Amino acid sequence: LADCGQPADACLHCVYEDKCKTESAACQADVDCYLIQSCVLSSCLDVTQSCLDQCKAKHPAGAPKFDSQFVCLQQRCGAECG
């Protein structure tokens, strides 16, 4: 996650390497969950429920793992992810 020798962003570190590591690994290993993540990152500049729902509708099989990761982010990485 570090870019050009810079320390990783606190939010990304929390989600992918610390408090939500298990949920993130499960999502990354699931093609549909990964595609939801990609959709959210590229299409949801303002992370609204409507935008999340649109991305999940495109890849419904990945929604449970995505939801698990997103809930973890909200509950365990709130301070780091603001």
Side-chain angles (χ1 to χ4, degrees):
L1 293 176
D3 184 35
C4 298
Q6 297 297 318
D9 175 81
C11 178
L12 294 176
H13 176 77
C14 183
V15 173
Y16 290 99
E17 297 177 14
D18 191 16
K19 297 176 185 173
C20 298
K21 184 177 182 177
T22 301
E23 294 84 349
S24 295
C27 186
Q28 293 293 306
D30 182 282
V31 171
D32 287 301
C33 186
Y34 179 79
L35 290 171
I36 293 170
Q37 277 186 330
S38 296
C39 175
V40 170
L41 292 172
S42 65
S43 303
C44 301
L45 298 177
D46 294 323
V47 182
T48 62
Q49 189 62 50
S50 174
C51 192
L52 292 174
D53 290 343
Q54 289 175 17
C55 288
K56 290 191 290 186
K58 293 177 184 178
H59 308 283
K65 288 180 182 171
F66 177 82
D67 289 340
S68 177
Q69 182 186 32
F70 194 71
V71 167
C72 183
L73 181 152
Q74 292 176 313
Q75 292 180 350
R76 295 190 221 153
C77 296
E80 294 87 342
C81 296

